[in-house]
Amino acid sequence: MGKSAQPTLLQGTLDLLILHALQPGAMHGYAIAQTIHLLSDEVLRVEEGSLYPALYRLELDGAISAEWGLSENNRKAKYYAITKRGRKLVTEQHATWTRLSTAVQRVLAR
Amino acid sequence: MMRRLFLKLFRRRRLQQDLETELAFHRAMSGEHHNPIPLGNEAVIKEQAFDLWRFNFIENLWRDLIYGARGLRRSPGLVIGAPLSLALGIGVNAAMFSLGVEFLFSEPSVRDAASLVSIRLGGNSNSPEEAIDFLAASGLFQAVVGEDLEAFSNFNDGTETHRVFAVYTTKNYFTGLGVPMLYGRGILPTDPKEVAVLRYQFWRKYFNSDPSVIGRRINMDGRVCTIVGILREHHRTPLGFGFSPDVYMPRWLDTTNLAIYARLKPGMPLAEARAGLDTVARRLDAAKPTTYKYAQSISVSAMAGYARLSSQPETMTIGIFFAVLLAITGLVLLIACVNVASLLLARASARRGEIAIRLALGASRGRLLQQLLAESVLLALLGALFGLALSQFTATLLARIPLPLPIPIYLQITPDWRVAAYCAILTTIATLVCGLLPALQSVKESIAPNLKRESKLRLRRALVIAQIATSVIVLTTGFLFLRNLVDANSISPGFDVRHTLRADVNLPPASYTNAQRKANYVDEVLRALAIIPGMESVAAARLTPFTDNVSFGSRLTFPDNGQQTEAYFKWNAVTPAFFQAMNIPIRRGRTFSTADRGEQVVIVNRTFVQRFLGNRQPIGTALLWGGGKPPCRIVGVVEGTKTVTIGEEPQPQLYEPLEQIDNDRLRIQFVMRSAIPPALQLDTVRRTLRRIDPMAGAEVETMYSGIGLAFLPSQVGAVLLGSIGILGLLLATVGLYGVMGYSVVRRTREIGIRIAIGATRSDISRMVLLDSARLTLAGSAIGLFVALFLTKPLAMFLVPGLKPTDPLSFGAVLIIMILTGVLAAWGPVRRAMGVDPNIALRYE
């Protein structure tokens, strides 16, 4: 499997978005996707196919923790919460992202 | 990491269910909210998650192992042959390793062995108790204890007196060291002097493992002692090396000097302890002056693990011996591995088609390698299991063999993590050696099908050459020790061992308080032994060669011209009949006589004369030795004897009359020369000694069995290395047979053509035999070359005159290898001669 720079960038971005969405409190996978969708003024759509692998990877990395709970309509759902390590990661990645996007902005503005 | 792996393995099903539930929930929510979020491919998500959890790797591994097991089930020859080969290799290695580890690195059975140190004051291994008390009072150490290791005691079991190995200790020995006990307790500082702690095996032998023995009274050296405790079965003494005395008692004679052990205060480094001890020893010298200075050469050395080993240079020799043994057994394992590799290689050629198809279908090379290696992992694991069991069995068996040593040495072989780790490492190496080459080869050859057979055969031939080379190395060392054994047996120890007996008597100290009593006892015994029918001559001596020895490093002064020489010689004190009883020829002068009383006389051996007397006429020469002794006159010159090992260089020797010395020792030996076979006299001698003093423990044996120790290194070497060598040879023969057989099968067509165009049977057999001879000779040449270097460190174990590069050994090995080559080629040759050109040319 060949790896290009683009998926890595997107993947990193998705991680950042997930972690950011989780900062106010724990939520299940569907809610995470919805939050990102709504916060981006319905521009970004997180597909199931990339959301869950990303969630499992973050969990393995120890950036988020998962726990089974009951959803708002009383169904069994897995709730994800950000960990200490995750908060550290989000600060770092946020800074990196800001630097990167301003840099891109500057380039495009000229 | 490992924990997570296991969790994943066991939770696999749950994780899968969780994933499904979560995805179902997600879909349900999307459905309820009428959300246009497109549904992904569920299978792909699962696959991705599984990959993330590394299930694929584990699953593949598991699948490979099952597949490997199934494949192996179809070739029972490989399943039996390969693990057996590996088991022998691994077993022999692990057995040597566990013996070596136990002998060199055993931890003493004490509390926190790492903080214990052994102390020498004034360069002496033993010091008087006042020095120990002074050290203890100095507060430098947490605890200071002492023990006298070189003690015998007479144990009377009610009917008979046995000479047993005792250790006299300071009373804080057990509490200070923290010795764990099986029953009862150790000796306490508040105990009287009449208490005893018994070794487990001693207790089992004389008290039938009866736990109620605690508190019972026993007779030791005529003193009634109370048993207070029994040591554990696998008790290891602080001295180590398997030294296992029978009885521990508080020191009760004031003259006994003790070896000193101390426990460092927590966190105190060795260097600081040494510096502190220096100061304390100086104060000790000021407070209790002796003939020597305590502070002059002090040493503090660790008592456990490698630290102990490196502080005792003499044990390094034994370490090297084990290292050489391990290297040689390692070579045997290598031979075994090569055999298995050869078998796997043959198997791989049968699977050529399968591998080619799988590669064509897109299997990655790494994946195929993993699968092929799984098979050798299985084989190696089986081999390791057998091998570990085999090693524990053989090591225990070897350790059980009673060594003909004057001190009790028993190794406690117990399952040990170090041995297990060693086995694991060996298994890993074996797996890689056996599996990697054939696996790489079969993956590679499928890519380049035209080259396949040539390179495979070349690899197998190289393997066989390596195998022959290693067996030559192993065999050469085995042969060397065999020669050594033969040579050692033919070397005369310098005295008669066939018609003589010795009795080693330990007198009970309570009733032999002065030299006169001891002298009376000796006279009485000599008279009683002399009238035993068949006894030709009897004598008493401080020492008999090989069982004990005393050397003197002393300045010799010759009063005739005042010349002084530094001399180092072996010393003994004997009664006049000693030389006659031992059949040591007197070259000049005479033996001692009663007329010598009132004059100091000595007898020396020829080496002593040659080395120290210059061109003096030896008889009548007066000399001064051992500071403070009056001058003594040489009355006789005798032939030398060996003293410690059979292989030693001739030693200068000096004998004094037994009655001339101040006999301060309780141990006395008798030597007897018998006209009838000495073994028949053993009982009579025992009975006579018991009659004269029932409380004196006596060991009576024929001289021949008494000097067994001298032959020990060659015997151990010959038996161990000889059998290892034969094992290696067998394995190599199988390998050679396999490769010759394969090469004949491969050349069936060629042989058929040769026969068809007129080659005779003898041409064909010559062709195959020559091929085998080429391999054998190449391997032997390499092996002999390496053996030249590898056997160098063995020189110190060989008798003088026998060099590690012994041409006879090397020649014998070469002949054996050529015979092996012919033998291994025999089957293939017959097969080649039976090739029918009609069938061979239609073949394939």
Side-chain angles (χ1 to χ4, degrees), chain B residues 263-456:
Chain B
R263 191 179 289 287
L264 296 176
K265 286 186 170 164
M268 180 185 271
L270 214 56
E272 197 180 306
R274 194 171 286 135
L277 183 66
D278 194 51
T279 325
V280 173
R282 273 174 218 284
R283 276 196 278 135
L284 174 62
D285 277 324
K288 319 247 176 189
T290 48
T291 49
Y292 58 93
K293 289 258 180 268
Y294 286 115
Q296 201 160 50
S297 80
I298 56 171
S299 75
V300 180
S301 47
M303 296 182 62
Y306 184 75
R308 178 186 73 132
L309 206 61
S310 53
S311 69
Q312 291 169 320
E314 60 268 31
T315 61
M316 273 304 182
T317 317
I318 306 167
I320 291 173
F321 183 67
F322 274 112
V324 171
L325 274 183
L326 271 187
I328 287 168
T329 49
L331 289 179
V332 172
L333 177 62
L334 203 62
I335 300 175
C337 283
V338 171
N339 263 355
V340 177
S342 226
L343 286 171
L344 286 175
L345 211 53
R347 198 173 139 70
S349 82
R351 288 169 66 175
R352 200 157 30 94
E354 173 200 336
I355 290 164
I357 291 173
R358 295 193 51 180
L359 276 176
L361 286 178
S364 77
R365 226 156 283 158
R367 183 73 196 78
L368 274 180
L369 270 184
Q370 188 190 335
Q371 191 206 322
L372 290 171
L373 271 181
E375 240 176 42
S376 39
V377 167
L378 274 179
L379 291 176
L381 275 181
L382 269 178
L385 273 179
F386 284 147
L388 201 60
L390 193 75
S391 78
Q392 287 300 305
F393 178 72
T394 39
T396 314
L397 215 65
L398 281 175
R400 283 255 179 86
I401 298 173
L403 298 175
L405 294 171
I407 49 169
I409 297 288
Y410 300 97
L411 292 176
Q412 311 282 348
I413 299 294
T414 44
D416 184 296
W417 66 266
R418 287 169 292 200
V419 177
Y422 186 69
C423 262
I425 293 170
L426 283 183
T427 310
T428 315
I429 295 173
T431 311
L432 289 180
V433 171
C434 302
L436 206 55
L437 265 180
L440 274 177
Q441 187 72 17
S442 51
V443 171
K444 200 169 74 185
E445 77 175 18
S446 305
I447 303 159
N450 289 333
L451 297 172
K452 64 196 176 210
R453 286 190 166 174
E454 268 324 302
S455 69
K456 184 201 297 283

Side-chain angles (χ1 to χ4, degrees), chain B residues 78-275:
Chain B
L78 188 67
V79 174
I80 295 167
L84 199 69
S85 232
L86 289 177
L88 285 175
I90 292 176
V92 159
N93 271 281
M96 280 306 130
F97 188 78
S98 47
L99 282 180
V101 159
E102 184 51 41
F103 196 76
L104 296 171
F105 295 106
S106 64
E107 285 263 303
S109 308
V110 294
R111 185 181 59 234
D112 186 20
S115 70
L116 279 185
V117 291
S118 155
I119 290 178
R120 280 174 175 233
L121 293 176
N124 290 322
S125 56
N126 288 20
S127 302
E129 188 154 28
E130 61 176 21
I132 298 179
D133 292 342
F134 196 90
L135 280 190
S138 76
L140 178 63
F141 301 104
Q142 215 172 56
V144 183
V145 305
E147 64 173 347
D148 176 31
L149 294 166
E150 297 160 23
F152 289 105
S153 183
N154 294 312
F155 163 63
N156 192 292
D157 65 358
T159 51
E160 223 177 305
T161 301
H162 305 273
R163 197 190 65 160
V164 298
F165 216 95
V167 163
Y168 294 113
T169 67
T170 55
K171 281 185 183 169
N172 66 346
Y173 181 81
F174 285 85
T175 48
L177 292 180
V179 180
M181 306 292 293
L182 180 67
Y183 291 115
R185 55 173 175 83
I187 297 163
L188 295 179
T190 50
D191 274 331
K193 281 175 175 171
E194 288 74 28
V195 291
V197 167
L198 307 183
R199 177 176 175 236
Y200 180 89
Q201 285 79 357
F202 182 79
W203 169 66
R204 192 172 58 191
K205 184 171 171 193
Y206 290 107
F207 301 99
N208 293 319
S209 305
D210 176 10
S212 71
V213 80
I214 305 292
R216 200 185 291 176
R217 285 158 207 283
I218 53 169
N219 188 327
M220 303 296 305
D221 275 337
R223 299 183 312 138
V224 176
C225 297
T226 311
I227 300 173
V228 293
I230 310 294
L231 289 171
R232 294 203 300 200
E233 183 176 1
H234 295 294
H235 177 75
R236 294 177 173 94
T237 50
L239 182 71
F241 306 116
F243 173 69
S244 316
D246 298 308
V247 184
Y248 293 76
M249 289 179 287
R251 187 193 76 114
W252 62 286
L253 287 174
D254 291 335
T255 51
T256 314
N257 285 355
L258 305 166
I260 311 174
Y261 307 138
R263 191 179 289 287
L264 296 176
K265 286 186 170 164
M268 180 185 271
L270 214 56
E272 197 180 306
R274 194 171 286 135

Side-chain angles (χ1 to χ4, degrees), chain A residues 30 34 52-53 56 75 80, chain B residues 19 22 26 28 32-33 35:
Chain A
Y30 180 74
Q34 282 299 83
Y52 285 98
Y56 296 141
R75 289 167 74 161
Y80 295 92
Chain B
L19 181 60
E22 200 171 8
H26 192 108
E32 277 168 28
H33 293 174
N35 243 326

Side-chain angles (χ1 to χ4, degrees), chain B residues 537-808:
Chain B
S537 69
V538 293
R542 270 289 277 256
L543 324 159
T544 51
F546 297 115
T547 60
D548 195 358
N549 88 94
V550 174
S551 2
F552 270 99
S554 165
R555 174 168 296 176
L556 295 182
T557 312
F558 297 100
D560 53 358
N561 59 1
Q563 186 199 340
Q564 293 196 329
T565 326
E566 288 301 326
Y568 178 85
F569 53 86
K570 300 285 181 188
W571 173 91
N572 198 357
V574 301
T575 59
F578 181 78
F579 303 104
Q580 191 195 347
M582 296 283 277
N583 200 18
I584 299 171
I586 299 176
R587 286 292 169 225
R588 284 180 188 197
R590 55 168 176 87
T591 183
F592 304 122
S593 84
T594 45
D596 292 328
R597 278 191 191 154
E599 191 197 4
Q600 297 281 320
V601 290
V602 293
I603 289 174
V604 295
N605 74 346
R606 283 208 309 170
T607 314
F608 189 96
V609 173
Q610 283 157 9
R611 211 166 287 176
F612 307 126
L613 291 194
N615 42 19
R616 288 183 184 80
Q617 170 65 35
I619 302 298
T621 297
L623 56 87
L624 280 153
W625 68 280
K629 286 196 176 194
C632 42
R633 191 166 60 87
I634 297 175
V635 295
V637 177
V638 294
E639 284 293 328
T641 68
K642 306 284 178 191
T643 56
V644 181
T645 65
I646 197 78
E648 71 188 18
E649 301 288 325
Q651 304 280 332
Q653 287 171 295
L654 183 141
Y655 298 90
E656 282 189 277
L658 191 61
E659 55 185 17
Q660 183 175 297
I661 63 163
D662 175 25
N663 200 353
D664 56 346
R665 228 174 145 190
L666 290 163
R667 185 176 174 197
I668 183 88
Q669 308 210 29
F670 296 96
V671 294
M672 291 143 268
R673 186 177 175 76
S674 167
I676 60 172
L680 300 179
Q681 299 278 29
L682 291 175
D683 262 346
T684 329
V685 172
R686 267 187 212 119
R687 255 182 287 128
T688 310
L689 288 171
R690 204 177 306 145
R691 183 167 47 81
I692 293 169
D693 189 343
M695 298 315 291
E699 298 291 312
V700 182
E701 58 190 355
T702 62
M703 195 66 82
Y704 187 72
S705 63
I707 66 167
L709 171 65
F711 295 105
L712 190 68
S714 343
Q715 270 167 347
V716 170
V719 170
L720 277 183
L721 293 172
S723 41
I724 291 168
I726 289 170
L727 183 65
L729 185 69
L730 272 179
L731 290 173
T733 312
V734 172
L736 191 60
Y737 174 83
V739 95
M740 291 320 296
Y742 181 76
S743 111
V744 167
V745 170
R746 192 186 65 96
R747 291 166 72 179
T748 305
R749 252 166 93 93
E750 178 201 332
I751 293 169
I753 294 172
R754 279 173 190 264
I755 292 176
I757 59 174
T760 60
R761 309 244 129 154
S762 66
D763 289 336
I764 300 298
S765 62
R766 195 181 311 130
M767 185 181 84
V768 179
L769 275 177
L770 272 180
D771 197 30
S772 157
R774 260 202 298 277
L775 289 181
T776 318
L777 282 178
S780 303
I782 298 172
L784 287 177
F785 187 71
V786 177
L788 276 181
F789 294 96
L790 202 80
T791 49
K792 277 245 167 75
L794 291 174
M796 67 177 101
F797 304 105
L798 301 177
V799 297
L802 186 58
K803 297 256 154 28
T805 53
D806 175 40
L808 192 70

